[in-house]
Amino acid sequence: MGMADDLSSRDATALWHPATHFGDLERLPPSTITRAKGVWLFDADGKRILDGIASWWTSIHGHCHPDIVAAIAEQAGRLDHVMFAGFTHPSAVELAERLLKLAPPGYGKVFYADCGSAAIEVALKLSFQSRRQTGEPKRTRFAALHGGYHGETLGALAVSGADDYRGIFAGLLTEPLYLPAPEFRWHEHAMLQTDAGADSEAADQAVALLREHADGLTALVVEPLIQCASKMRMHGVGYYQRIVREAQALGIHVIADEIAVAFGRTGRLFASSWADVTPDLMCLSKGLSGGVLPLSCVLVRQGFEEAFTGSPARSFLHSHTFTGNPIATAAGVASIKLLTEGGGLDALPERIEALARCRRRVAERCAAVVDHRQAGMIAALTVAPAPGQPGPPGGRISLALREAAMAAGVLLRPLHDTIYWMPPYCIDDAALDLLTEVTIEAIESVFPGPKA
Ligand SMILES: *Cc1c(COP(=O)(O)O)cnc(C)c1O
């Protein structure tokens, strides 16, 4: 038995994987990865797999970037961990200062947590508790967008609007006020134009709902520009700007969930910068540590902390054991340096164009592509069988595409009928070409048939 087979069977015995159906394990067992470099994962047999989705949208600089590896090693040898109540340390301070300097203007504090969902919990509780302490106890409810995804702990799940994740647990969750969002099926960068979506019917409806319910609302939770987990739905800069400004004018806090879209993913450091807004609370994770260690934080608008000063009973009631872990924040500092001082952000426009050319190539070659869209380094293609064609067995489009791509050495993980690319920013032309050709082959194998 080879090492891979052995690990595979031990894994099957001992482990329970997230977002994985037991019934699919035989058909598509977890690959055993022993090493990674740049855009490549290497399995136990030495076969390389192109990481087309940056390992769940985290690995922005590619895997094992030497600067981040060095920062982690250095930090781990000097100070591994210290509790963050009553203590501080250099990398937590430096990362916070850099974030505040680079973020849209108006933030004053950083609150660390350890995963995206935890950052959302922090933001929800900050908003809710502040109302109790500023004489607005009636503001208890959250507004959120249909189709939103904010994580899977109960508080974050409550404000999510995707039934796939939320439905089963609905009985445990508070009901937010759901707002509609326009859905763009644009093929170019139009969604990043400043007015995109501002005058849509959905924007009018969202604004009317906010006005109608304003007195009871504490915060609006929103993913800026792109609902990644909801099949990369894009709603436009103008829509985002309009609902943020409207909410803030009504005294409703805005919680921007930039967990998937910050750190250059849309072409700018923060997606909210496209809309020229400063949400009251901004949640960051995934790429925050360069995608290497679990780390998240909430940027807090200047002055927000005033609701928590005065008597000790007004302190913010929230803590996670690993808050501000030194190794994770050291990775974060190294990652931010790569983006800002290391030319990471400057290199993006050219890579975004290259990604767009590849996306168009797939759309031109494959009749099954019925829509495609892009925002920065996120490209998405929606596929459907031709009329009268059956599509894959059991309607398992994603599984069939994933299986075909993996067999050809590319990691894709379509969201049902939506194939998306979200690669590390360092992906070169040769790797992009492989990503494109394997995507085309996968589509053609799952949806056979000539170009219409
Ligand atoms: C991934 C994600 C989360 C949840 O982050 P976890 O680290 O998985 O808890 C929340 N919001 C958005 C937009 C995400 O993409």
Side-chain angles (χ1 to χ4, degrees):
M1 206 188 256
M3 177 171 113
D5 295 336
D6 181 40
L7 264 179
S8 215
S9 72
R10 283 161 56 199
D11 175 283
T13 305
L15 284 166
W16 191 328
H17 288 263
T20 305
H21 173 44
F22 285 116
D24 294 336
L25 282 173
E26 209 154 301
R27 177 169 164 192
L28 201 53
S31 302
T32 302
I33 301 301
T34 52
R35 173 169 88 75
K37 187 79 199 156
V39 297
W40 304 103
L41 306 170
F42 295 89
D43 75 10
D45 301 323
K47 185 185 155 196
R48 60 178 204 175
I49 298 158
L50 175 61
D51 189 349
I53 62 166
S55 281
W56 262 347
W57 324 339
T58 58
S59 184
I60 56 178
H61 306 291
H63 295 275
C64 291
H65 191 288
D67 289 14
I68 299 180
V69 172
I72 289 173
E74 201 280 327
Q75 181 67 57
R78 199 156 37 80
L79 170 65
D80 53 354
H81 184 62
V82 61
M83 59 189 285
F84 209 58
F87 295 91
T88 193
H89 55 82
S91 63
V93 175
E94 185 177 350
L95 180 58
E97 285 176 349
R98 283 178 183 267
L99 289 169
L100 292 173
K101 193 160 150 253
L102 293 163
Y107 290 102
K109 294 223 177 287
V110 176
F111 193 101
Y112 287 117
D114 36 33
C115 68
S117 303
I120 296 288
E121 303 285 338
V122 167
L124 298 175
K125 287 174 78 177
L126 275 172
S127 176
F128 186 90
Q129 191 181 337
S130 77
R131 303 298 188 179
R132 310 274 296 235
Q133 300 173 181
T134 53
E136 303 164 286
K138 288 208 186 104
R139 288 191 183 267
T140 55
R141 197 174 180 204
F142 294 95
L145 301 198
H146 284 295
Y149 177 89
H150 301 291
E152 297 179 47
T153 55
L154 293 178
L157 193 59
V159 290
S160 295
D163 223 39
D164 292 0
Y165 302 96
R166 194 183 188 284
I168 288 189
F169 302 102
L172 289 174
L173 308 173
T174 55
E175 272 295 297
L177 172 72
Y178 286 116
L179 310 181
E183 186 172 344
F184 287 128
R185 302 206 157 271
W186 290 339
H187 294 181
E188 292 308 327
H189 293 299
M191 67 156 288
L192 295 177
Q193 282 169 8
T194 45
D195 59 348
D199 57 2
S200 59
E201 204 182 312
D204 291 344
Q205 288 168 357
V207 163
L209 282 165
L210 284 173
R211 287 183 185 164
E212 187 187 334
H213 296 270
D215 293 349
L217 291 172
T218 180
L220 163 67
V221 192
V222 51
E223 292 158 275
L225 316 188
I226 306 140
Q227 294 181 319
C228 294
S230 273
K231 306 205 255 181
M232 301 293 162
R233 268 167 54 150
M234 301 184 180
H235 52 239
V237 171
Y239 169 82
Y240 176 61
Q241 182 184 62
R242 186 168 167 208
I243 60 167
V244 169
R245 290 195 174 158
E246 183 68 29
Q248 290 182 326
L250 293 165
I252 302 163
H253 299 146
V254 174
I255 299 172
D257 179 350
E258 293 230 8
I259 289 165
V261 294
F263 304 112
R265 193 45 81 180
T266 66
R268 295 195 182 168
L269 209 43
F270 298 96
S272 291
S273 302
W274 290 100
D276 217 5
V277 293
T278 300
D280 300 80
L281 301 163
M282 185 189 282
C283 299
L284 304 170
S285 187
K286 295 204 162 99
L288 174 59
S289 66
V292 180
L293 286 162
L295 176 68
S296 66
C297 72
V298 180
L299 305 187
V300 182
R301 179 182 34 78
Q302 226 148 36
F304 198 96
E305 72 278 11
E306 278 157 28
F308 298 84
T309 58
S311 123
R314 290 161 61 89
S315 306
F316 181 42
L317 280 169
H318 194 92
S319 55
H320 290 291
T321 307
F322 282 102
T323 298
N325 172 260
I327 303 173
T329 48
V333 172
S335 173
I336 290 275
K337 281 189 188 166
L338 284 171
L339 285 170
T340 54
E341 294 155 25
L345 281 176
D346 298 337
L348 277 173
E350 188 273 334
R351 285 296 82 193
I352 291 168
E353 274 316 306
L355 195 73
R357 285 194 295 276
C358 293
R359 169 179 50 85
R360 287 192 288 265
R361 203 159 99 208
V362 178
E364 279 157 22
R365 294 253 299 271
C366 298
V369 172
V370 293
D371 178 62
H372 56 110
R373 54 201 177 275
Q374 182 170 343
M377 285 299 281
I378 303 174
L381 301 122
T382 306
V383 291
Q389 285 213 328
R396 304 290 303 277
I397 295 176
S398 168
L399 188 70
L401 288 167
R402 183 149 60 94
E403 188 176 30
M406 270 301 274
V410 172
L411 163 56
L412 295 179
R413 202 180 162 93
L415 296 152
H416 188 55
D417 61 356
T418 301
I419 299 169
Y420 70 88
W421 296 334
M422 215 154 152
Y425 307 156
C426 61
I427 190 166
D428 65 13
D429 286 340
L432 266 182
D433 204 52
L434 179 71
L435 184 63
T436 309
E437 289 305 316
V438 168
T439 300
I440 291 169
E441 284 166 30
I443 295 172
E444 286 175 346
S445 74
V446 175
F447 300 100
K451 173 93 201 169

